[in-house]
Amino acid sequence: MSFWAALSLFLLTVALMEGFAYVMHRWVMHGWGWFLHESHHRARHGNWELNDLYAVIFAVPSIVLLLGGVQLGWWPGFTWIGAGIAAYGAIYFGFHDVIVHQRIPTRYLPKSAYMKRIVQAHRLHHVVETREGNVSFGFLVAPRPEALKAELKRRGRAGVRRAVGDRSAAPAAFVED
């Protein structure tokens, strides 16, 4: 396989993984897989949550494709597809677990408009504690925060987490502009 074909396959896989992640997050994690994902919408106690099993589940296809492409003589493109899935997983980990949820302490503060937008969109996703009523299921592509706030307001703020100690206030992440 040529370098350009391999690179194209790798980059295409990374890009398509955003769509796959959206579908899995919207209809599996907030659907029949909520029993694992629910832990991610609650306060975490300790280093791990049940939701972390999704990382293991989603790593399996990447591992199988890399093994098949590198060691088992399968079509070489499988190596690059597996690498693209792994790259998306690394990007996801860096954005989601390190930057947004700060599971690894860092002093990083989003400065670009893009980073601010996706961080705020993900935080708006997390103001809803329930399986239904969430907004913004993507990770690297997200609607404008103003549109997400308007959608939460339109839904009557159903499932929106209350501020600690205040049974009537919306969370700080959901302040009217």
Side-chain angles (χ1 to χ4, degrees), residues 29 36-37 48-63 85-86 89-90 92-93 96-97 103:
M29 293 176 175
L36 293 176
H37 189 60
W48 304 100
E49 54 193 42
L50 218 50
N51 184 68
D52 293 334
L53 290 174
Y54 278 118
V56 176
I57 293 165
F58 295 147
V60 170
S62 177
I63 293 165
I85 294 169
Y92 169 87
F93 175 78
H96 183 263
D97 291 326
R103 291 179 76 174

Side-chain angles (χ1 to χ4, degrees), residues 34 37-45 49 126 128-131 161:
W34 180 251
H37 189 60
E38 181 179 17
S39 66
H40 188 58
H41 283 263
R42 305 277 181 251
R44 186 178 61 250
H45 303 288
E49 54 193 42
H126 276 275
V128 178
E129 292 180 306
T130 59
R131 178 171 138 167
R161 178 180 297 121

Side-chain angles (χ1 to χ4, degrees), residues 59-136:
V60 170
S62 177
I63 293 165
V64 169
L65 290 169
L66 285 166
L67 177 68
V70 173
Q71 293 292 320
L72 302 178
W74 296 358
W75 176 58
F78 287 140
T79 301
W80 299 103
I81 294 170
I85 294 169
Y88 184 85
I91 293 165
Y92 169 87
F93 175 78
F95 161 68
H96 183 263
D97 291 326
V98 177
I99 293 172
V100 175
H101 294 291
Q102 299 179 350
R103 291 179 76 174
I104 296 174
T106 178
R107 293 181 176 206
Y108 175 81
L109 288 174
K111 292 186 177 108
S112 73
Y114 168 74
M115 287 302 292
K116 287 178 183 179
R117 178 178 178 155
I118 62 173
V119 167
Q120 189 172 16
H122 195 76
R123 289 190 175 143
L124 285 167
H125 173 80
H126 276 275
V127 300
V128 178
E129 292 180 306
T130 59
R131 178 171 138 167
E132 296 87 15
N134 292 87
V135 294
S136 189

